[in-house]
Amino acid sequence: MLAAFEGWNDAAQAASDVIRHLTSTYECREVRRITCDGYYDYQSVRPVICHVTGRARIVWPQTTFYEIMLDGGVRMYAQIAPEPNYRWMSYCRQTLNIAAELDVDRIVTLGSMFAPCPHTRPLPVSISEGSCQCEQDREYSGPVGIPTVLDSMAADDGYRTTSMWVSIPQYLGDLPCAQGSLELTRAVSELIAHPLDEGCLPQKARLWAQRATLLTECSETVRQHVQRLERQYDADAAAAKSAAPGAPQAEQLVRETEEFLRGMANGTPC
């Protein structure tokens, strides 16, 4: 089951738009719902009024669970909601009870966060699975959102868990980021070993990149900032490539370490 929450955990709507993309692309149906009572502050997450068949209707914040039928008869579930304001543990417990009713065996939480990264490079996606955490999660200490709480409670209940976060260029503000949604969709596709229909996401991502470039070119300060981010991104990528298993430098280091250890075992002086 995929889970995405609008608000603090959803920079530029990149995470929640993955769910919207999947429900609009594939055959789906609503299977469960969590009502808003007791979970929301309506001054923070306001109900909205809409007109259907000439009648006014108030729509309250709520959580919706969808069954999505992928190609080849593969089925997944998706949860989408505004991040609740209150009673997170009760909310997550109710979510996991629904997951149990639907025979879900893996919980995948999606999120997006503003970060110092350039729009001219692939947007980084951090993935943690169970106890195998990405470097960012291992080093982070600070406030968390409800995806982290849900992920932790799901793991305690014995679910396989995966957390995916895409980084969004901070200098672009809240401009909806289709590139972030595309990166997350591809990460989910790889996780479930099933190709997901990207639909119009690649085209929207190209338009996002074009708009981002236009905004950048309007300010010399922003342009220089992006250039600094590009240099840092490229330097980090080069360092990661050098340190990766199989890289010449890494192989040389392994050989030297093995020779040192063999010498120690044979009593050879260093």
Side-chain angles (χ1 to χ4, degrees):
M1 182 175 75
L2 306 181
F5 300 91
E6 301 163 345
W8 189 72
N9 318 275
D10 191 26
Q13 302 176 195
S16 59
D17 277 350
V18 174
I19 307 299
R20 296 187 187 96
H21 167 70
L22 293 175
T23 55
S24 64
T25 300
Y26 292 99
E27 177 185 350
C28 74
R29 65 187 181 98
E30 181 181 324
V31 291
R32 294 289 192 283
R33 182 181 296 182
I34 297 177
T35 58
C36 54
D37 293 345
Y39 291 127
Y40 292 102
D41 173 359
Y42 296 136
Q43 290 182 326
S44 299
V45 184
R46 292 185 179 273
V48 298
I49 189 168
C50 63
H51 293 268
V52 180
T53 63
R55 296 183 58 186
R57 178 188 174 194
I58 293 179
V59 179
W60 297 87
Q62 67 178 19
T63 301
T64 307
F65 295 82
Y66 294 98
E67 178 188 61
I68 303 173
M69 297 303 300
L70 305 179
D71 300 330
V74 177
R75 178 176 58 185
M76 70 162 53
Y77 295 98
Q79 172 186 11
I80 186 170
E83 182 180 53
N85 302 104
Y86 308 118
R87 301 171 55 214
W88 280 13
M89 293 184 69
S90 297
Y91 178 88
C92 290
R93 177 54 51 203
Q94 193 169 354
T95 293
L96 294 174
N97 288 342
I98 291 174
E101 292 173 6
L102 298 174
D103 292 326
V104 168
D105 60 1
R106 182 194 287 267
I107 305 291
V108 181
T109 54
L110 306 178
S112 53
M113 57 188 171
F114 290 117
C117 59
H119 73 278
T120 53
R121 302 291 187 271
L123 300 182
V125 178
S126 300
I127 301 176
S128 294
E129 294 197 43
S131 59
C132 182
Q133 294 184 320
C134 66
E135 181 179 355
Q136 178 177 319
D137 283 347
R138 288 195 303 270
E139 296 179 351
Y140 177 75
S141 296
V144 298
I146 201 165
T148 304
V149 176
L150 177 59
D151 186 76
S152 176
M153 291 180 63
D156 290 343
D157 279 8
Y159 286 94
R160 292 184 295 162
T161 60
T162 303
S163 173
M164 297 183 176
W165 289 80
V166 64
S167 295
I168 307 296
Q170 194 165 18
Y171 56 87
L172 294 177
D174 288 329
L175 179 69
C177 183
Q179 184 64 48
S181 300
L182 180 60
E183 301 283 4
L184 285 175
T185 300
R186 289 173 175 172
V188 171
S189 181
E190 184 173 348
L191 176 72
I192 66 175
H194 187 89
L196 294 175
D197 187 347
E198 297 178 356
C200 59
L201 279 179
Q203 179 183 0
K204 290 181 177 179
R206 287 191 293 271
L207 291 175
W208 170 83
Q210 291 171 5
R211 286 196 291 267
T213 298
L214 287 174
L215 289 173
T216 300
E217 292 175 348
C218 290
S219 169
E220 180 63 20
T221 301
V222 175
R223 188 179 67 82
Q224 292 178 1
H225 176 62
V226 172
Q227 289 176 344
R228 287 193 296 271
L229 293 176
E230 290 172 338
R231 289 193 293 270
Q232 184 62 52
Y233 186 105
D234 293 342
D236 291 344
K241 184 178 180 180
S242 297
Q249 297 90 333
E251 292 178 349
Q252 177 65 24
L253 179 60
V254 169
R255 285 195 296 270
E256 292 175 356
T257 303
E258 290 174 343
E259 291 173 2
F260 172 79
L261 293 175
R262 280 196 296 268
M264 292 290 289
N266 295 330
T268 304
C270 297

